[in-house]
Amino acid sequence: MRLAAVTKRYGSGAQAVTALDAVTLGFAAGTFTAVMGPSGSGKSTLLHCAAGLERPTGGEVTIGGVALTGLRESALARLRREQVGFVFQSFNLVAALTAEQNVALPLRLAGHRPVELSGGQQQRVALARALITRPAVIFADEPTGALDSRTSREVLELLRALVDRHGQTVVMVTHDPVCAGYADRVVLLADGRLVDELAGDLSAQRITARMSRLESTC
Ligand code: ADP
Ligand code: MG
């Protein structure tokens, strides 16, 4: 997957917000990337554009060699269904369905209702739903933000295993340097721009140091 000079603007005129500003970034197959940056820096917008949930204002997103710009809505929806899994912090489970029906949703197959489950159980169902089709790319937007540390660790180990054992590609937004340490690489956003990239030693200490350097220069 690749983003080439991807720009996303919301609104127009004096109200316009540039949420993403010409971001160029490759995501090799079978790698785990953590996306970090201050609130409002464009992390969610980056995920939404990369996953084909939103169309960029400029630039190009390519998934599996297919440029998304040229696709009609129906082809884009099919590519998303077949290649992409998305996990949100708020789970996005359908309250009217059982946990099993939520998991089966992407396969259009028709117990417990999600509201009767704990946060950790709901996130497992959301993960199962995102993963059941074995998507090539999995996007997770602060998937552990609402979880206790033990359940967070389970979710992160699962994402790591998808990359290591199944060669899937994971892109995860997180605020937590410890969570980011499960990735192969950390990319840092500020004001919609890609401002730093770390690989190798992803200790919480090193990530925190880079982030604070970023804050002091802005
Ligand atoms: P992050 O996930 O890093 O907190 P976002 O990608 O959600 O940041 O937002 C980046 C910027 O774009 C922010 O200034 C936000 O207010 C703005 N933004 C995001 N979504 C919309 C929208 N649908 N309409 C208008 N502005 C938006
Ligand atoms: Mg966000």
Side-chain angles (χ1 to χ4, degrees):
M1 180 182 43
R2 184 164 177 77
L3 276 65
V6 170
T7 294
K8 177 70 181 180
R9 251 178 244 110
Y10 292 108
S12 57
Q15 313 295 323
V17 174
T18 303
L20 278 185
D21 192 359
V23 171
T24 296
L25 193 54
F27 299 88
T31 62
F32 188 164
T33 302
V35 180
M36 303 188 79
S39 180
S41 59
K43 304 180 296 295
S44 294
T45 305
L46 175 90
L47 257 62
H48 294 164
C49 289
L53 291 169
E54 286 190 56
R55 290 199 186 260
T57 313
E60 185 62 273
V61 176
T62 312
I63 298 181
V66 176
L68 303 193
T69 313
L71 300 180
R72 295 160 186 262
E73 239 10 85
S74 55
L76 188 59
R78 199 175 82 209
L79 181 136
R80 272 201 309 264
R81 198 165 61 237
E82 292 175 355
Q83 309 240 24
V84 172
F86 214 114
V87 183
F88 302 87
Q89 178 178 350
S90 55
F91 317 129
N92 273 33
L93 296 178
V94 181
L97 302 180
T98 63
E100 189 184 357
Q101 286 167 335
N102 265 284
V103 171
L105 211 53
L107 295 179
R108 298 189 58 85
L109 302 171
H112 290 295
R113 309 277 170 195
V115 288
E116 294 168 3
L117 304 177
S118 71
Q121 288 170 324
Q122 290 194 49
Q123 191 57 300
R124 287 191 194 91
V125 173
L127 272 166
R129 185 184 61 188
L131 303 178
I132 196 166
T133 55
R134 281 281 159 100
V137 191
I138 295 139
F139 296 95
D141 198 347
E142 301 191 45
T144 62
L147 304 180
D148 62 56
S149 60
R150 186 168 151 226
T151 313
S152 294
R153 202 165 60 233
E154 282 177 27
V155 166
L156 291 160
E157 282 168 0
L158 172 66
L159 293 173
R160 185 70 248 173
L162 296 174
V163 173
D164 293 342
R165 293 201 213 131
H166 302 290
Q168 287 165 288
T169 308
V170 173
V171 184
M172 173 184 77
V173 170
T174 182
H175 277 114
D176 184 341
V178 175
C179 296
Y182 283 77
D184 302 307
R185 171 178 72 152
V186 177
V187 296
L188 290 176
L189 291 183
D191 294 328
R193 295 200 183 92
L194 181 67
V195 291
D196 206 350
E197 197 171 328
L198 286 94
D201 168 22
L202 293 184
S203 63
Q205 199 181 8
R206 180 163 175 249
I207 294 170
T208 307
R210 283 293 184 105
M211 286 173 68
S212 52
R213 198 169 76 190
L214 182 73
E215 272 151 26
S216 63
T217 56
C218 285

